[in-house]
Amino acid sequence: MSTTPNRKTHVTLDTTQDVLTEPVLGFQRDGYEMARGSNSGSQNLILISQCGWQLKPMQLDPGQMGQMSQAQSSILGSGQGAIPSGWVQLPRFGQLTATGIDYAPSVATSGDLFWTKQVKAGDDWSSSNYVLTGDQSGYPSPWSISQPIPVDRTFVGSSSWGPDQGFVVRIDVAGAKTLAGEGLAAIGFCGPAGLAAGGNGQYYLCLGANGEAELFELCSGQWVSCGSKPYGPKQRVSGATHFISIQPCTKTLNPALNGVIVIEFEQVKQNPDANASSSPAVSHPQDVRQWHLAVPKSTLVSSPVPVRLDIRRDLRAAWQISSLTYPTSALLRDDPFTLPYFATSAQPIILAWFSDLPSGCAISGALYDAETGAELTQSGTLAGFPQYTVDFPQRTFFTEFTLSGSPSVAPALATPTLFGYRVQRDAVFRASTLTPVDLSGIVTKIESSVPGSDSLPGWAKISAKDETNTMGPILNRGRRRIRVETEYDPANPQNRAGLFVGEVVSPQFSAFGLAGSVYPSSLWNGLELAAVGPLARLSEAVSPMRFDFGKDFNGLDSLGHPLPFLVTDALTTLFAAAGFDSSQIDLPASPLRLFATADPQGHVIEPQVPLGDVIIRLCREYLGGRPYFDPDLNQWRILTVVPTGSPIANFVTSGPGAGKQVNNVMGYPSGTAFIRKDSMQTWILPATASAIVAYGLAAETQGFPTLIMQVAVNTPSLPFDGVNPNSMGLDYLDRYMPLFIGIPGQSTPNGLNWMVRRAFDRLCHGKQVTSWQSPLVLVADLDGSTGTMRSLRPGDLITVNGANAMLTEIRFDYGKDEHQMAYYEAESIPS
Amino acid sequence: MKSQHNLQAGVKHLISRWLGESTQFQHHYSSERRSMPHQTELLGLPALAMDPIQDLNPTSPTFGQFLFMLDYDAVP
C-alpha cells in the first residue's frame, strides 16, 4: 500500500534560469580621495575638510584683494554695516601714473580699502566716534569686559548671516614692538551650532596680543570656550598684517556632523626688503595655519547673526572685512581608476556625483578613457547624469568636473560643493542557453536537507542508475543547476512542489557494468550527484566593489542630506551583486532604513567581503528574519523567525483510527501525517547567553567619539538581584554567561537597543527540539504565491501531537515515490 | 538512525555557533574593521549614560520585561 500516492519525483539538471555573465561594476570616491595623484589636478578649487570641493574664494589671495577690480566689491563698507564716524576708509592700492606703465583692464584704478581710526588731538578715544557703544553693550563679546586694555566694537553688519557665510578679515597692526595685554581683536560670526554643548551657532574668534586665538560659542547667554590655537608668532603680532579667513560650512555628508568651521590664519610679515628682492624667502613669507573644527551632529539650530569686529583701543590698527566671492567656474580632473572586470556595451555606465547646488550654481561631469584621453561616447542620461558606452575592453578611466558659481558674471557670490562621485554599471544577466536534462527515469534515491539555520546552506544527494549509459555527458562538467520536485496530482502533472534547488558541485559515477553483460548494459553506471543549496552560492560571492549604503541620494532628510539606504534596497543590491537578478528576489516592502552611524563610512561594505554574511546580518539585525530561497518561486525571500497564523500541518503518533491503515496518509485528516514509530527524538538546545552586552560609538564630542553600552539580562536564566527563577525553566543557565557584541556602527541609544533586542531574542532562549520521520507532507501554499501545493519549509507553524512548534529543518530521504519520507525537526513554542 | 540524527543535530549546533551564533563578531563594515581591533581603547572612551532597556525592579510585576519595543520605539 502506498504511503504517498500520486507522487512522482522529477530531477532536472541545467534548469532554465537567468544567469550572471557580467558583474555589477562600480567605483566611488569621496571628496577627500579625489585629485591626489600626479595625473590629477584642480584649478580655482579648494577642498573643505569633511565637506567637499568648492570654488576657491578670491579673498584667499591677498593680491586679488589688493589690485583686481572684480574683488573690490566684496569689501564691506558703510553700506553693509555700522562703523563709528571716527574711522575712515582709505585705499592701499592705486595705479601708478607714469610713462611706460600700463595696467590691464582687470586691475582696479585704486582699491584694497582699509578702515583706519583717525583720532583728533585731545579727543576721547572711548567716545562714540570710535566705538559702537550701544551694540557692544547690547551684544558684548567674550572680551568686552575684564581686558587690561579695552577692545572696542568697531563694526557690526547691517544684516544677519547664516552658518554658511564665509568672510575674510585683514588686520594691519603697525609698529614693531611686543604687545602686552590679552586682547588684540575679536570677530563675531555665525557657524554650525553645537561646537560647545548647547551652543546656538553664534561664535566669537578672539585674537590675543600673545599670538593665541580662542574660539567661543554662545550658550544660553554665556560665552563658552571651544579651544584655542596660535595664529601667529608671539613676538610678531605687531608689525604684521593678519589674515583671517573664516569659512563655516553646513554642507557635509558626514552624518556625525552639523558642519565644520575652517579658520585659516596667514600672517604676512612686513618685510622692508619685500619690494627690493625677488628671493623665494620674500615671495613666500606666509606662515599659514589652518584650524579645522568639526561640529558634532545635534538638534541644535544656528541663530544667524551679523558679523562683528572689535579692535584694541590703543592701536591704530587698520582693518578690512570682505565677504567671500568666487571665480565663475573651476575645473577638477580626478586620478584614473580601474574597474575589476570588463564592461561590454550590454549595459551603459553612469557617472553620478553628489553635490550641493545653491541657486544658479551647477556642476557637470564627464568620463574619459584613461588610455586615449578622450571622453567616452555618451549614450543618454539618467536622472540628469550622463550615461556612457564603454570602449570595450578598456577598464581604466578618469573623471573631470566643471563647477560653476552664481551669478555667471564674475565675481560669483555662491559656490557649488562637490562631495564625491560614483561610477556604476549594472550587472548583465541573460537566459541560460543550456538545455535541461531530465533524470527522472533513473533516480533511485533522494536525500536532501533544507535547514532552518541561515548558517547552513542545505544539501542534496541524488543517486541514480544509468543502466544504458545514456547519461554519460552528465559527467562532462560540474557546477550544474539542479532542481528536485514532485508531482502530486495525476490530473495536473504540471503542478509540482519544489523540494530542492541548488547546484551539483562534483558529479561522480561508479562503473557497474561487466564485459559481455546484455542487461543492464556493459556500460552500466551508478551516479552520485552531490549538490549544495543556494545559500552556498550566496556565501561564496564576494563584494566586487566598495558599496556605500550610507548615502541614498533618492532619500534626503529635511536638511537635504542623504539618508542611509532602505534595508530592502541594500539587500536587493547585495543579491544582485551575488548574481541574482530582480526576478529572483522577492523582498517585503519595508520603510526601515539602515541606522545612521557616527562614522561617515559606517555603512561602507568593503570589497571582497562575503556577500552572504552581509545579507544574513542585515536580515537578522534589521528584519528579524533570514534569507530563504523558495524552491517553488525560484526566488529569495525573507522568512521571519517567529511564525504567525494557524498551524498548517499536524504530526501525530496516534493512529488514524479503527479500520484505517496506520501508514497511509489518506487515512488521516487533511494536513495530518503520522510520525513513524520509534523515530521521534527530543533534545535541548540551551541558551547561548544569559545576558547581552553590546556597545556602539556615538558622535564625536570635542574630538572623541562617545561610548554607548547597553546590557540586557534574561532574568529567567539566572538568579538576579535576589530573584531566583524557575531552575527547571528552558532558559535557565544557573550562572552569568555573557555575550559581548561590539557594534561601532551604532551611534544612537535606540539603534543599539534595537540590535540588543534582536540578539537577545535569537540567543538568550533555550529551545526544545524534536525530530521525527514522517511522510513528506505537502500543504496548500497559503500565501498564494504559487497557487499550488508546496512542501513544508523552515519557519512554518505546525503541531506535534497537538503542541505548537516551529519547523526548523526538513530532510527528504526516500527511494520510492510511493513512500516519500522525510525527517522533520521543530522547536517547541512555549504556550 | 537515532544516533546518526543526534550526531547531526549536535554537529549542526556546533557549526551554527561557530558560524555566526557564537561570540564571534563578523567584520563587514569599514567602521568595524577600523574600530574592532582596539576594543581596549573603545571601552576607555567617554561614555554616555543610557537608560535601562528592561524593567529591572525585582518587585515589579513586569520584572525583566523590555521597555524598548521593536517596531514601536523610534530608531535612527
Side-chain angles (χ1 to χ4, degrees), chain A residues 123-160:
Chain A
D123 206 353
D124 179 359
W125 287 56
S126 66
S127 77
S128 60
N129 288 338
Y130 313 109
V131 186
L132 296 172
T133 52
D135 187 73
Q136 187 158 17
S137 61
Y139 192 90
S141 79
W143 281 1
S144 292
I145 56 174
S146 303
Q147 289 299 302
I149 301 170
V151 179
D152 297 332
R153 179 72 37 86
T154 58
F155 178 81
V156 56
S158 56
S159 60
S160 295

Side-chain angles (χ1 to χ4, degrees), chain A residues 455-456 599 604-606 613 617 620 681 683 695 706-707 710 713 721 739 742 748 750 757 771 823 825, chain B residues 1-2 5 9 12 19-20 23 25-26 28-30 32-34 39 46 48 51 54 58 66 68 74 76:
Chain A
S455 302
L456 296 173
D599 188 328
V604 173
I605 306 295
E606 298 202 345
D613 290 355
R617 195 169 155 188
R620 279 183 185 177
Q681 302 285 315
W683 66 93
Y695 56 88
T706 302
L707 180 74
Q710 188 55 278
V713 58
D721 197 19
L739 180 69
T748 65
N750 269 2
R757 279 301 312 269
S771 72
Y823 289 95
E825 183 181 297
Chain B
M1 183 62 76
K2 287 183 197 172
H5 200 81
K12 192 191 81 169
L19 283 179
T23 56
F25 190 84
Q26 307 285 326
H28 299 138
Y29 302 120
S30 296
E32 292 170 350
R33 287 189 183 276
R34 286 197 300 273
Q39 297 206 31
L48 181 74
D51 294 330
Q54 294 168 280
F66 280 93
F68 176 84

Side-chain angles (χ1 to χ4, degrees), chain A residues 464-469 472 475 509-513 521 523-527:
Chain A
K465 289 181 180 177
D466 184 11
E467 296 174 341
T468 56
N469 191 34
L475 300 173
F509 76 98
S510 302
F512 293 151
S521 160
L523 299 176
W524 172 25
N525 289 324
L527 299 173

